[in-house]
């Protein structure tokens, strides 16, 4: 690799690192020694043709001996933004990147949890055997891969994985299949390694990201607890900006949200209880870090669920050889979760479950919703009896922690740290007893919309359906189909009736227009059995 090429590869990452510093989505203050040394090494390659001074060159050419590296780092750390390279602007940027890796951005992120990239095997909380199992199973499934491709698969730094690969080669579990860039090699699994990998796969087929140890997960949940978050009136208004909601309802929701404990949302069907519950988490307006998976006494428990969690995408330079973010890649940054379980909820989904074929465990829903919101929709209509669910959660709701059984037979204590929302159109006192109601401190009724709010909903939804709001047609609907029959307003009805009219116009191939005849058709269909 030429000096020009090496300079280009690393300096490409600099603009993206600065551009991605918003809304707490970066971790520039985390320092990774391996990546720092790689940056210094690349910097040396780029300066070989421009300088006769060999302070950095001597260190890097001999493998960056620890004493020389210490001297370089102390000089960089104590200096101001560097312009020592003079003619080459890219090298100046690279020097400043090395300096930023050392100094970080502590003031900006001092109160924010960011999982720092491990520098040693001990930092990972894993053993050599656990990592070796992942590597061998990965090579068994995929064949030949370079060292850095293996690192990308198991989400560990090259400085940690490289010695383990060399040990595996010494033990004749893998063999060199060729050379790769930056002193890397292609690794292929041997017959001995293939036999061992098959035995490992019989125990558990997982070969994804290296797991995070349980104690690190507990520290992360404590640091990012929903109980430490505060939502102001402006935060709630922003979260519900796409809904028409009574100000009195917001005033009742605000304290309940800040309690971080639980609430009952009850009222007639169609008054927006689910829509309200889905938006409550947005009031906190923050992201959290969760492990992709956990390791508990040898059991692999998957925690990150793409179907439930919204990942915050990071801007990464795909052409760069090194990850300069300083973040432990075994963790994933997500929007504070909102997990919704309806009538399909069963007791099995509230316990750790293990796939009998793959031996991979899945975390229960309450763990996946930690530091966010867990919505039990249509409460009282679950397949399990209400008493069974209440007995399962009566202690966690009080103590804020839960006990789970892992397949190894061990019982573990996990945080029960989410805002629990029970949404139901049934009367809460008819569902649960006083002991349980005491543990849900807030009971909020979703009332029917007022005539003004009902009209505002029509005016809001009409353009979304491709209609222009028509005063005469709307007044006809109210007079003939609501006042005349004493029909109550529901928040969902404007949307549902307009959808009926839209489908009627599509079928008749007529322009989308609100007319009395169209509303007669919609009402006849919609309220035929109501």
């Amino acid at each position: 690799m030429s000096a020009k090429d090496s300079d280009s590869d690393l300096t490409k990452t600099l603009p993206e690192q600065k551009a991605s510093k918003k809304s707490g989505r970066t971790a520039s203050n985390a320092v990774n020694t391996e990546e720092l040394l790689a940056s210094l090494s690349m910097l040396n390659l780029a300066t070989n043709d421009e300088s006769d001074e060999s302070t950095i060159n001597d260190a890097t050419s001999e493998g960056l001996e620890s004493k020389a590296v210490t001297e370089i780092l102390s000089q960089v750390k104590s200096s101001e933004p560097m312009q020592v390279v003079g003619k080459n602007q890219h090298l100046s940027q690279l020097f400043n990147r090395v300096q930023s890796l050392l100094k970080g951005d502590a003031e900006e992120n001092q109160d924010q949890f960011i999982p720092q990239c491990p520098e040693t095997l001990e930092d990972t909380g894993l053993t050599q055997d656990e990592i070796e199992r992942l590597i061998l199973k990965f090579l068994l499934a995929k064949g030949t891969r370079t060292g850095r491709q293996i690192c990308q698969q198991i989400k560990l730094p090259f400085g940690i994985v490289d010695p383990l690969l060399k040990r595996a080669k010494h033990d004749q579990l893998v063999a060199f299949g060729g050379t790769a860039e930056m002193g890397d090699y292609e690794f292929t699994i041997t017959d001995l390694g293939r036999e061992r990998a098959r035995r490992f796969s019989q125990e558990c087929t997982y070969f994804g990201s290296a797991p995070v140890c349980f104690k690190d997960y507990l520290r992360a949940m404590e640091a990012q607890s929903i109980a430490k978050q505060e939502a102001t009136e402006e935060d709630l208004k922003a979260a519900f900006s796409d809904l028409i909601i009574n100000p009195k309802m917001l005033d009742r929701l605000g304290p309940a949200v800040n309690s971080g404990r639980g609430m009952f949302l009850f009222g007639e069907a169609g008054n927006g209880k689910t829509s309200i519950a889905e938006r409550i988490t947005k009031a906190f307006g923050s992201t959290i870090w969760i492990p992709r998976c956990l390791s508990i006494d040898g059991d692999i428990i998957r925690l990150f669920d793409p179907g439930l969690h919204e990942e915050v995408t990071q801007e990464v330079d795909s052409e760069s050889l090194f990850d300069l973010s300083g973040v432990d890649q075994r963790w994933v940054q997500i929007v504070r979760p909102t997990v919704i379980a309806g009538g399909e909820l069963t007791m099995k989904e509230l316990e750790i479950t293990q796939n009998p074929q793959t031996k991979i465990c899945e975390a229960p829903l309450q763990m996946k919703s930690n530091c966010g919101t867990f919505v039990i929709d249509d409460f009282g209509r679950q397949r399990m009896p209400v008493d069974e669910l209440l007995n399962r959660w009566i202690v966690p709701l009080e103590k804020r922690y839960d006990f789970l059984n892992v397949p190894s037979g061990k019982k573990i204590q996990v945080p029960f740290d989410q805002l629990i929302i029970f949404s139901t159109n049934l009367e809460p006192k008819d569902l649960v007893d006083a002991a349980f109601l005491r543990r849900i401190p807030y009971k909020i009724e979703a009332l029917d919309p007022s005539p003004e709010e009902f009209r505002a909903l029509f005016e809001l939804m009409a353009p979304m359906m491709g209609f222009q709001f028509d005063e005469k047609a709307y007044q006809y609907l109210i007079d003939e189909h609501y006042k005349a029959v004493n029909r109550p307003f529901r928040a969902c009805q404007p949307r549902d009736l307009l959808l009926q009219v839209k489908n009627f116009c599509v079928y008749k191939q007529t322009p989308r227009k609100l007319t009395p005849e169209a509303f007669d058709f919609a009402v006849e269909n919609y309220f035929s059995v109501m």
Side-chain angles (χ1 to χ4, degrees):
M1 178 182 290
S2 68
K4 183 177 180 181
D5 291 337
S6 58
D7 171 35
S8 174
D9 282 340
L10 279 180
T11 55
K12 282 178 183 178
T13 66
L14 299 174
E16 282 89 346
Q17 293 293 331
K18 295 180 179 179
S20 61
K21 281 188 177 182
K22 48 189 174 182
S23 65
R25 296 187 179 186
T26 63
S28 60
N29 64 320
V31 180
N32 185 320
T33 300
E34 181 221 345
E35 307 301 351
L36 181 59
L37 298 185
S39 298
L40 287 169
S41 178
M42 296 295 291
L43 180 60
N44 169 70
L45 291 174
T47 54
N48 277 342
D49 295 335
E50 297 208 7
S51 174
D52 293 332
E53 298 182 2
S54 58
T55 303
I56 298 179
N57 183 40
D58 292 339
T60 54
S61 63
E62 296 176 6
L64 288 171
E65 297 293 340
S66 59
K67 182 177 179 181
V69 172
T70 302
E71 294 175 355
I72 294 171
L73 301 189
S74 62
Q75 178 181 0
V76 173
K77 191 170 184 178
S78 62
S79 63
E80 297 297 325
M82 300 181 183
Q83 302 295 335
V84 296
V85 293
K87 297 180 182 180
N88 195 321
Q89 182 180 2
H90 295 301
L91 294 181
S92 179
Q93 291 177 321
L94 187 53
F95 263 110
N96 291 335
R97 177 57 186 156
V98 172
Q99 185 180 9
S100 70
L101 279 171
L102 287 167
K103 290 187 175 182
D105 195 3
E107 292 183 1
E108 179 180 347
N109 298 292
Q110 60 183 353
D111 296 328
Q112 182 183 0
F113 173 82
I114 298 173
Q116 295 190 6
C117 190
E119 298 186 12
T120 65
L121 180 64
E122 290 73 20
D123 291 342
T124 66
L126 304 174
T127 64
Q128 291 185 356
D129 181 66
E130 288 176 303
I131 300 175
E132 182 183 273
R133 286 168 177 260
L134 296 175
I135 294 173
L136 292 179
K137 287 187 284 187
F138 175 56
L139 291 177
L140 177 66
K142 301 297 182 181
T144 301
R145 287 294 186 270
T146 66
R148 286 188 173 81
Q149 286 174 332
I150 294 172
C151 293
Q152 292 171 0
Q153 173 69 17
I154 66 176
K155 308 296 183 185
L156 288 176
F158 186 73
I160 294 176
V161 176
D162 186 47
L164 301 182
L165 288 171
K166 291 177 179 177
R167 191 189 78 161
K169 181 182 181 301
H170 181 268
D171 294 341
Q172 299 182 353
L173 300 176
V174 299
F176 289 151
T179 58
E181 56 188 357
M182 289 299 296
D184 195 5
Y185 294 93
E186 292 181 345
F187 292 90
T188 184
I189 192 167
T190 63
D191 290 340
L192 179 61
R194 186 173 287 106
E195 179 184 350
R196 186 170 299 183
R198 288 197 181 104
R199 291 206 310 269
F200 292 154
S201 296
Q202 290 175 356
E203 298 173 7
C204 178
T205 61
Y206 180 83
F207 58 84
S209 166
V212 172
C213 66
F214 187 54
K215 64 179 182 179
D216 289 342
Y217 168 73
L218 295 180
R219 283 197 292 264
M221 294 301 100
E222 171 65 23
Q224 303 173 106
S225 172
I226 192 76
K228 296 181 179 180
Q229 306 302 310
E230 295 181 352
T232 65
E233 183 177 5
E234 294 303 318
D235 294 332
L236 252 70
K237 287 181 179 179
F240 289 89
S241 59
D242 60 334
L243 292 182
I244 294 175
I245 187 168
N246 193 300
K248 292 182 179 179
M249 178 64 133
L250 283 182
D251 290 341
R252 298 190 67 188
L253 286 171
V257 170
N258 281 317
S259 73
R261 297 187 68 85
M263 73 174 81
F264 263 111
L265 271 179
F266 66 98
E268 295 293 338
N271 273 345
K273 297 182 295 296
T274 303
S275 297
I276 291 172
E278 289 173 346
R279 287 162 176 78
I280 282 178
T281 314
K282 295 181 181 179
F284 297 116
S286 60
T287 60
I288 63 170
W289 293 89
I290 64 171
R292 299 177 188 274
C293 64
L294 295 172
S295 175
I296 301 177
D297 289 350
D299 289 315
I300 300 294
I301 302 176
R302 283 193 302 203
L303 187 63
F304 173 62
D305 188 339
L308 298 176
H309 297 136
E310 180 183 348
E311 184 176 0
V312 177
T313 56
Q314 305 287 334
E315 295 183 7
V316 179
D317 184 1
S318 59
E319 298 182 5
S320 176
L321 291 174
F322 302 102
D323 173 26
L324 300 180
S325 68
V327 174
D328 189 343
Q329 296 302 309
R330 296 177 298 164
W331 297 70
V332 58
Q333 189 178 20
I334 63 170
V335 176
R336 282 194 180 267
T338 300
V339 176
I340 301 177
E344 76 283 358
L345 180 66
T346 62
M347 186 60 70
K348 183 180 179 181
E349 294 175 286
L350 303 180
E351 304 291 346
I352 295 175
T353 57
Q354 186 182 59
N355 187 305
Q357 282 76 40
T358 65
K359 302 298 192 294
I360 300 173
C361 299
E362 194 74 24
L365 293 178
Q366 65 269 30
M367 277 188 71
K368 294 181 180 181
S369 65
N370 268 337
C371 300
T373 303
F374 190 11
V375 181
I376 310 297
D377 204 8
D378 291 327
F379 180 60
R381 303 186 187 278
Q382 277 67 37
R383 294 166 60 185
M384 72 173 79
V386 172
D387 290 344
E388 187 177 356
L389 176 61
L390 300 184
N391 292 334
R392 173 68 180 81
W393 274 357
I394 196 164
V395 173
L397 284 169
E398 177 81 15
K399 302 296 186 180
R400 306 291 291 170
Y401 58 77
D402 193 12
F403 288 99
L404 298 172
N405 294 310
V406 293
S408 63
K410 183 177 181 180
K411 185 183 288 289
I412 60 172
Q413 179 179 314
V414 298
F416 193 80
D417 184 68
Q418 61 279 109
L419 180 64
I420 296 283
I421 300 177
F422 296 93
S423 174
T424 180
N425 54 14
L426 305 175
E427 188 68 30
K429 64 182 180 181
D430 296 334
L431 288 172
V432 298
D433 58 20
F436 191 80
L437 285 174
R438 180 179 64 82
R439 290 168 171 83
I440 306 295
Y442 294 90
K443 296 88 176 173
I444 301 174
E445 184 176 7
L447 298 173
D448 294 339
S450 66
E452 294 76 18
E453 291 169 343
F454 195 73
R455 177 191 176 94
L457 286 170
F458 258 102
E459 292 176 343
L460 176 68
M461 296 300 302
M464 296 182 183
M465 299 284 187
F467 296 103
Q468 183 177 356
F469 181 76
D470 187 283
E471 176 66 34
K472 292 182 178 180
Y474 173 76
Q475 198 58 50
Y476 172 82
L477 172 68
I478 299 301
D479 293 339
E480 296 296 326
H481 297 293
Y482 280 89
K483 291 182 179 180
V485 296
N486 198 27
R487 178 174 284 130
F489 294 135
R490 299 284 187 262
C492 66
Q493 290 170 359
R495 177 200 62 197
D496 295 343
L497 290 174
L498 286 170
L499 187 60
Q500 292 266 358
V501 175
K502 174 186 172 182
N503 293 332
F504 177 76
C505 293
V506 170
Y507 172 71
K508 289 293 187 179
Q509 295 184 329
T510 58
R512 294 187 185 180
K513 185 178 179 180
L514 299 179
T515 64
E517 294 77 12
F519 276 132
D520 287 339
F521 173 81
V523 168
E524 183 180 359
N525 278 340
Y526 189 70
F527 293 109
S528 60
V529 293
M530 297 173 67

